[in-house]
Amino acid sequence: MNTTKTPRCAVLGYGSWATAIVKTLTVNHHHVDWLVLNDDIRESLQMRSLNPKYLPWCYINQEYITASNDINAVVRDADIVFLAMPSAFLKKFLEPLTEDISSKIVVSAVKGIIPGDYLTIVEHMNRYYDIPMENLAVVTGPSHAEEVGQCQLSYLTVASEEVATAERVRDALANDFFRCSISNDVLGVEAAAIMKNIYALAVGMAVGLRYGDNFLAVLIAGCAAEMKRFIDEAVPFEGRDINAAAYMGDLLVTCYSPLSRNRRLGTLLGKGCSVKSALNEMTMIAEGYYAAECVRRSSMRRNIDMPIADKVWEVLYEGASARDSMQALIQVLR
């Protein structure tokens, strides 16, 4: 593996978050091999230095990118591989992969769960691609792609069981606007990144139902307590600070910001849309839809009290109304 300060990077995915990561890496003068399966987007990047569908105002310096639809060519010479596609599409993206990536650093920038398998991205890559845990990392924290793409100040966390791996990823990403800390609580920060999407759905429902800021504050406080209870039980870790940016910060920005796609999905449900019509109206994947089923299964298996996540699941999968579910939560929130 190349151990210089300027690693060659690969980014798999071409949505908003992938584009923002590529922007950050190229600002740092790292060469990026970029897997872009959409022909129109790839042509636009080559001709106009823009992704016309996702962050279309975000200029990408062509000098530092090679866009391709061949995953094996993209990862072949990479030292660090960033996974930045929606979790629902990860298997499809990786299906043609024949190159051995087990000796590379593989970074999950996916804040979701593998639908149907109920595995986190790190667990999936470790189990099915034989990537040792010391080569796996997660980048997470309060960050909207739109702001990162505009080079607005953001604070993120890189987590890996191996400190040297986290430091390599941090050094590739960090600059004046993309601040990075490191952690070895890999499963904890990954779980928080998954769960905050469920809670943004709950907050969105309350917004759609026209509850005010006073109630939203109580609801989000309840979400924070519930998230801590689940993470501490499901993935115990000594010394975890649930108030750190990777946990609490990510929860707050996802719940409060109108840029949050999960909050937007919840808002549509709160306004009376059916789950099917709300999902159809979304232009991007809302990871909380898949996360709700996984967390429901996990909490029931462990007998963890999760009233907020349970109500979100009932709306998404049992046909419960957002109004009735929120009325039920009012009785248990303090």
Side-chain angles (χ1 to χ4, degrees):
M1 181 187 297
N2 179 5
T3 58
T4 67
K5 281 194 173 182
T6 55
R8 191 174 180 107
C9 300
V11 174
L12 312 185
Y14 49 91
S16 297
W17 191 214
T19 302
I21 290 173
V22 171
K23 173 70 174 184
T24 303
L25 292 169
T26 56
V27 165
N28 293 350
H29 298 171
H30 296 304
H31 188 89
V32 179
D33 292 293
W34 192 359
L35 182 65
V36 180
L37 300 180
N38 183 291
D39 294 339
D40 293 336
I41 293 176
R42 195 168 59 253
E43 181 181 350
S44 177
L45 288 167
Q46 293 165 350
M47 300 294 294
R48 301 190 296 124
S49 302
L50 298 173
N51 181 337
K53 189 172 182 181
Y54 302 99
L55 310 190
W57 37 261
C58 182
Y59 173 80
I60 306 292
N61 191 335
Q62 290 186 52
E63 180 183 352
Y64 295 105
I65 66 166
T66 302
S68 171
N69 62 356
D70 182 347
I71 188 172
N72 292 295
V74 166
V75 304
R76 187 168 295 130
D77 297 322
D79 303 299
I80 304 176
V81 178
F82 290 87
L83 307 176
M85 70 289 285
S87 62
F89 301 145
L90 182 136
K91 287 184 176 180
K92 183 177 180 180
F93 267 78
L94 298 182
E95 198 172 83
L97 180 65
T98 57
E99 288 283 326
D100 181 9
I101 60 172
S102 61
S103 64
K104 303 177 186 294
I105 292 176
V106 177
V107 184
S108 171
V110 183
K111 298 182 177 182
I113 204 83
I114 304 293
D117 286 1
Y118 309 113
L119 294 174
T120 70
I121 308 304
V122 163
E123 290 169 335
H124 180 85
M125 299 308 294
N126 174 251
R127 179 177 300 184
Y128 293 109
Y129 290 88
D130 298 321
I131 302 171
M133 288 299 293
E134 58 264 28
N135 284 0
L136 286 163
V138 176
V139 59
T140 187
S143 55
H144 287 304
E146 293 82 355
E147 293 190 359
V148 174
Q150 292 172 336
C151 301
Q152 292 190 28
L153 184 60
S154 301
Y155 287 76
L156 289 96
T157 298
V158 178
S160 176
E161 289 188 1
E162 176 60 53
V163 173
T165 297
E167 289 175 340
R168 285 270 285 161
V169 178
R170 177 200 61 193
D171 292 346
L173 290 168
N175 54 39
D176 288 343
F177 69 86
F178 200 105
R179 304 295 181 91
C180 286
S181 59
I182 62 173
S183 168
N184 57 350
D185 182 20
V186 181
L187 297 180
V189 300
E190 199 173 26
I194 292 165
M195 295 188 71
K196 53 94 178 181
N197 292 323
I198 301 172
Y199 296 127
L201 279 164
V203 171
M205 291 179 201
V207 170
L209 289 162
R210 297 185 179 277
Y211 285 89
D213 289 344
N214 293 345
F215 175 73
L216 293 185
V218 174
L219 176 59
I220 294 171
C223 292
E226 186 172 294
M227 183 176 77
K228 181 182 187 304
R229 187 162 61 246
F230 178 87
I231 295 175
D232 286 348
E233 178 69 25
V235 284
F237 183 83
E238 187 175 350
R240 175 184 293 141
D241 179 9
I242 201 70
N243 294 315
Y247 315 92
M248 188 65 68
D250 209 8
L251 173 68
L252 292 175
V253 76
T254 310
C255 288
Y256 274 119
S257 175
L259 293 174
S260 167
R261 64 194 69 173
N262 290 281
R263 175 175 153 139
R264 172 165 169 69
L265 176 59
T267 301
L268 291 171
L269 296 171
K271 289 181 176 180
C273 289
S274 68
V275 174
K276 183 177 180 180
S277 63
L279 289 171
N280 287 338
E281 189 167 329
M282 297 290 293
T283 57
M284 293 183 287
I285 296 291
E287 295 281 7
Y289 176 78
Y290 304 104
E293 173 72 6
C294 175
V295 170
R296 166 78 172 185
R297 285 171 174 259
S298 183
S299 64
M300 289 187 68
R301 187 169 66 251
R302 295 179 171 88
N303 198 29
I304 306 172
D305 185 33
M306 304 278 288
I308 301 173
D310 285 347
K311 289 302 177 186
V312 172
W313 177 84
E314 289 173 7
V315 172
L316 294 176
Y317 291 96
E318 292 289 294
S321 78
R323 184 175 299 278
D324 290 346
S325 296
M326 200 57 59
Q327 284 294 320
L329 283 178
I330 288 172
Q331 306 308 314
V332 299
L333 290 170
R334 294 288 184 271

